[in-house]
C-alpha cells in the first residue's frame, strides 16, 4: 500500500497532462484570447516537458519504493544505487526535453560534457573510485548497518553509516572511524556479525611443560565456562597450538555475540583463568633465559588444600592449626564431566571444595532439572549435609572433568569438640551464605526454586544435635 501511495502523485499528474493533450484544441481556442498567440503556441512545449519530468518523477518514486525496506521485506537495491538511478532519470529527462521538445542538438553538448567529465574525473579520481566502491559494497552487501567489522588488528567497530564516499564505524570507545570505501573494498576485512551473530574469540595462555596437558586444559576450560558473556553453545574449548622452549602455548577459545563487549568478556575470561590457575598452584610460563627459582608444578602436600580452605568464608573462624588439620584430612576425588558429585535426596555427611573444573547445581523438579547455579574453583557445596546431616538438597553435576576435595563429618567433629563456640559461628556463616544464595536466585528470577533459607538459631540447634555437642 505504501508503494501505491508513492506512485499516486506522479500518476495523477500524468493523467492531468493526458487530459490536457486530449482537450488541446479547446484549450488553444480559449488560451489564444487570454494569453496571446505566442504563449498559446508554447502550450505544447510546456505539456511535453512536464510529461518527461513527471515520468522521471514517477521512476524515482519506483526506485524509492525498491530502496526502502520494511521489517517483512528488505530493500531490493542499495541506497547509493538508488541515488545514482534518480540522477540518471532526471538527467535523461532533461536531455530528452532538449532533443525531442526543444529540437536542440545534444551531440555537441554531450561531447563537451564528456571532455569536462574526463578532466573533472581525473582530478577527482580517488573520490570517484570511493563512490563506485561504495556502490559495489552496497550491491554485494559484505556488511550492513549494525554489523561489527575488523579492518585490521586493533581497528574495529560497528557500521554506523555507508554513504557515497566512506563507511563510518563506531568503536567500543565511542569514537568514529571514517574509512574511504575504496580502502574497504580493496582490502581484506573481517565481518564478525556474518553469517551468524555468534563469533569465536581466542585468548592465548603460555604454561610450563611440567603442567600436564590434561590438567591445564581442565583448569583453563573451567575459567571459560565461569566467565560472563561466554555462550554455552557452541561450547568453549581449549587447544594446544604450539610447544616451545619457553612452554606450551594454549588457546582458550569461546563464542560470544556482542562485538561491543569483546574487551569486557576477554577481561572476564582472563580474570577467571588467572584465578583458577592461582587456586590450582599453576604459574604462567616465563622466559627460560631468566635465572629464577623454579616452583614445582606440584605443591607440597597440604599447601594447595590449606589455601583452598583459607579462602572459604565458612572456615573464617578456624585458626591456622585447625585449618592445617582439616587440610590433611581432605580426600581428593576426580569427577568426570557429566557425572554427579552428589544427588538430590541422597544422605550425606560431607562437603566438597572445588579445586579444578566447574559444576552445575540442579534441582530435580519434573522432567527437566532446574539449574540453580554454576560453581567454579574455590567454591564449596554440601555444607548443610556435613554440619546438619540433612539429605542433599540438590544435585551437583560436573560440567567438565573436575577435581574436588571431600571433608567428612568425622574430620570436623574433633575440632568442634575442642572448641564448641565454633558451632555458633558456623551456624551464622551458613545462614548468611543461604541468604546470599537466595538473593542471587531472586536476582536471576529463580525465586522459589530451592528451599527457603533457615535462621541461624535453627541451624545451630541442628548442628549441635547432629554433632551431639
Amino acid at each position: 500500500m505504501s508503494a501505491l501511495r508513492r506512485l499516486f502523485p506522479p500518476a495523477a499528474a500524468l493523467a492531468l497532462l493526458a487530459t490536457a493533450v486530449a482537450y488541446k484544441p479547446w484549450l488553444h481556442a480559449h488560451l489564444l484570447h487570454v494569453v496571446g498567440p505566442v504563449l498559446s503556441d508554447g502550450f505544447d512545449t510546456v505539456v511535453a516537458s512536464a510529461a518527461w519530468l513527471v515520468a522521471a518523477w514517477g521512476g524515482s518514486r519506483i526506485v524509492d519504493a525498491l530502496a526502502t525496506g520494511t521489517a517483512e521485506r528488505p530493500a531490493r537495491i542499495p541506497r547509493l544505487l538508488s541515488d545514482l538511478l534518480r540522477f540518471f532519470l532526471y538527467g535523461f529527462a532533461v536531455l530528452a526535453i532538449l532533443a525531442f521538445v526543444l529540437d536542440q542538438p545534444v551531440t555537441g553538448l554531450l561531447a563537451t560534457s564528456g571532455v569536462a567529465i574526463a578532466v573533472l574525473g581525473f582530478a577527482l579520481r580517488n573520490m570517484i573510485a570511493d563512490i563506485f566502491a561504495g556502490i559495489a559494497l552496497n550491491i554485494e552487501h559484505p556488511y550492513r548497518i549494525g554489523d561489527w567489522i575488523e579492518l585490521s588488528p586493533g581497528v574495529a567497530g560497528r557500521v554506523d553509516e555507508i554513504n557515497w564516499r566512506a563507511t563510518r564505524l563506531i568503536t567500543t570507545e565511542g569514537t568514529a572511524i571514517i574509512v574511504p570505501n575504496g580502502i574497504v573494498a580493496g582490502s581484506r576485512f573481517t565481518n564478525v556479525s556474518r553469517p551468524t551473530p555468534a563469533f569465536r574469540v581466542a585468548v592465548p595462555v603460555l604454561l610450563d611443560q611440567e603442567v600436564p596437558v590434561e590438567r591445564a586444559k581442565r583448569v583453563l576450560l573451567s575459567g571459560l565456562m565461569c566467565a560472563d558473556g561466554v555462550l554455552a553453545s557452541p561450547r568453549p574449548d581449549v587447544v594446544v597450538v604450539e610447544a616451545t622452549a619457553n612452554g606450551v602455548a594454549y588457546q582458550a577459545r569461546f563464542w560470544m555475540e556482542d562485538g561491543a563487549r569483546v574487551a569486557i568478556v576477554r577481561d572476564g575470561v582472563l580474570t577467571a583463568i588467572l584465578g583458577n590457575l592461582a587456586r590450582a598452584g599453576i604459574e604462567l610460563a616465563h622466559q627460560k633465559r631468566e635465572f629464577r627459582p623454579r616452583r614445582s608444578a606440584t605443591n607440597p602436600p597440604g599447601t594447595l588444600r590449606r589455601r583452598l580452605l583459607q579462602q572459604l568464608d565458612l572456615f573464617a573462624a578456624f585458626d591456622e592449626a585447625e585449618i592445617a588439620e582439616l587440610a590433611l584430612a581432605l580426600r581428593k576425588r576426580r569427577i568426570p564431566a557429566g557425572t554427579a558429585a552428589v544427588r538430590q535426596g541422597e544422605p550425606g555427611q560431607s562437603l566438597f571444595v572445588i579445586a579444578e573444573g566447574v559444576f552445575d547445581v540442579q534441582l530435580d523438579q519434573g522432567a527437566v532439572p532446574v539449574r540453580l547455579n554454576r560453581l567454579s574453583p574455590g567454591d564449596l557445596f554440601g555444607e548443610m549435609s556435613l554440619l546438619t546431616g540433612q539429605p542433599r538438597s540438590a544435585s551437583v553435576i560436573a560440567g567438565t572433568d573436575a577435581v574436588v576435595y571431600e571433608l567428612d563429618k568425622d574430620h570436623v567433629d574433633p575440632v568442634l569438640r575442642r572448641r564448641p563456640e565454633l558451632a555458633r559461628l558456623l551456624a551464622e556463616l551458613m545462614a548468611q551464605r543461604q541468604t546470599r544464595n537466595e538473593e542471587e536466585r531472586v536476582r536471576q528470577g529463580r525465586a522459589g526454586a530451592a528451599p527457603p533459607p533457615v535462621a541461624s538459631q535453627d541451624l545451630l540447634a541442628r548442628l549441635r544435635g547432629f554433632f551431639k555437642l
Side-chain angles (χ1 to χ4, degrees):
M1 293 300 294
S2 59
L4 292 177
R5 284 196 297 269
R6 288 174 180 269
L7 295 177
F8 178 76
L14 283 176
L16 182 61
L17 291 173
T19 304
V21 172
Y23 287 91
K24 184 170 64 172
W26 182 85
L27 290 173
H28 269 296
H30 287 76
L31 288 174
L32 183 62
H33 301 290
V34 177
V35 298
V38 176
L39 292 180
S40 177
D41 293 339
F43 172 78
D44 293 343
T45 303
V46 172
V47 171
S49 301
W52 280 107
L53 293 175
V54 170
W57 182 27
S60 68
R61 285 299 181 96
I62 295 175
V63 171
D64 284 339
L66 295 175
T68 305
T70 62
E72 297 79 15
R73 179 186 59 81
R76 297 181 182 178
I77 59 175
R79 193 69 192 177
L80 292 181
L81 186 58
S82 68
D83 292 343
L84 195 62
L85 288 175
R86 281 194 294 270
F87 172 79
F88 280 116
L89 284 173
Y90 282 106
F92 181 79
V94 170
L95 290 176
I97 291 172
L98 291 174
F100 302 116
V101 177
L102 302 179
D103 294 325
Q104 298 295 320
V106 295
T107 307
L109 178 62
L110 291 176
T112 306
S113 301
V115 174
I117 290 173
V119 174
L120 188 63
F122 181 78
L124 302 176
R125 59 188 181 279
N126 291 332
M127 184 177 294
I128 294 173
D130 291 338
I131 291 173
F132 280 96
I135 295 173
L137 290 173
N138 276 267
I139 293 175
E140 295 178 4
H141 285 305
Y143 55 81
R144 294 176 172 83
I145 302 297
D147 286 357
W148 279 86
I149 65 173
E150 183 178 15
L151 300 178
S152 61
V155 181
R158 176 178 53 82
V159 179
D160 184 62
E161 181 185 3
I162 310 171
N163 56 38
W164 279 91
R165 195 189 67 83
T167 296
R168 184 172 68 180
L169 306 178
I170 303 298
T171 67
T172 53
E173 290 80 16
T175 58
I177 301 178
I178 310 299
V179 186
N181 290 328
I183 294 178
V184 179
S187 62
R188 176 180 176 181
F189 60 88
T190 302
N191 187 342
V192 299
S193 301
R194 305 286 171 177
T196 62
F199 59 94
R200 189 165 65 184
V201 181
V203 175
V205 181
L206 186 67
L207 301 178
D208 277 326
Q209 298 97 329
E210 287 78 5
V211 182
V213 172
E214 180 184 354
R215 186 184 184 210
K217 287 186 175 182
R218 182 168 61 237
V219 173
L220 296 177
L221 182 59
S222 63
L224 288 174
M225 297 184 67
C226 295
D228 291 334
V230 174
L231 296 179
S233 180
R235 182 182 172 89
D237 61 3
V238 178
V239 296
V240 177
V241 293
E242 192 178 9
T244 68
N246 292 321
V248 180
Y250 299 86
Q251 275 193 354
R253 307 186 303 180
F254 60 93
W255 293 78
M256 57 179 300
E257 287 185 336
D258 189 356
R261 300 187 67 242
V262 171
I264 297 173
V265 177
R266 282 175 61 94
D267 172 75
V269 166
L270 283 171
T271 300
I273 285 176
L274 293 174
N276 288 354
L277 290 173
R279 294 185 190 95
I282 300 174
E283 291 184 337
L284 296 175
H286 57 273
Q287 294 289 335
K288 296 302 183 286
R289 292 191 298 271
E290 299 178 4
F291 177 76
R292 178 177 175 184
R294 181 181 296 277
R295 196 172 112 185
S296 174
T298 8
N299 290 274
T303 302
L304 176 59
R305 305 176 186 186
R306 188 164 58 251
R307 189 186 305 127
L308 286 172
L309 291 180
Q310 288 171 339
Q311 293 173 352
L312 297 172
D313 55 2
L314 189 64
F315 296 98
F318 289 68
D319 60 29
E320 289 290 336
E322 292 164 344
I323 291 290
E325 178 182 347
L326 295 178
L328 291 176
L330 290 173
R331 295 196 307 272
K332 185 176 181 179
R333 288 183 53 186
R334 296 183 182 275
I335 311 294
T339 305
V342 299
R343 286 285 182 187
Q344 181 179 340
E346 290 180 347
Q349 296 184 357
S350 62
L351 65 73
F352 299 85
V353 183
I354 303 174
E356 300 171 11
V358 295
F359 287 85
D360 289 327
V361 181
Q362 296 180 354
L363 199 64
D364 297 330
Q365 290 182 338
V368 181
V370 178
R371 198 185 91 172
L372 300 179
N373 196 11
R374 171 160 284 180
L375 304 178
S376 58
D379 290 334
L380 61 85
F381 58 91
E383 69 275 15
M384 289 296 291
S385 296
L386 168 72
L387 298 176
T388 67
Q390 74 177 39
R392 305 295 185 184
S393 59
S395 298
V396 182
I397 313 297
T400 65
D401 292 340
V403 174
V404 298
Y405 289 99
E406 184 176 10
L407 183 64
D408 196 80
K409 173 202 171 186
D410 295 337
H411 304 134
V412 181
D413 184 76
V415 180
L416 292 182
R417 290 192 180 279
R418 288 196 303 267
R419 291 181 62 197
E421 66 273 14
L422 286 175
R424 180 180 57 80
L425 296 174
L426 284 173
E428 292 176 355
L429 288 170
M430 280 197 301
Q432 294 172 7
R433 178 180 170 85
Q434 284 193 323
T435 301
R436 286 197 302 269
N437 291 342
E438 179 63 20
E439 290 174 351
E440 179 64 18
R441 281 194 293 271
V442 171
R443 187 185 68 82
Q444 296 179 4
R446 297 170 177 169
V454 184
S456 60
Q457 292 300 322
D458 294 335
L459 288 173
L460 179 60
R462 293 185 190 180
L463 192 154
R464 285 176 173 168
F466 185 55
F467 282 89
K468 298 181 173 57
L469 298 177

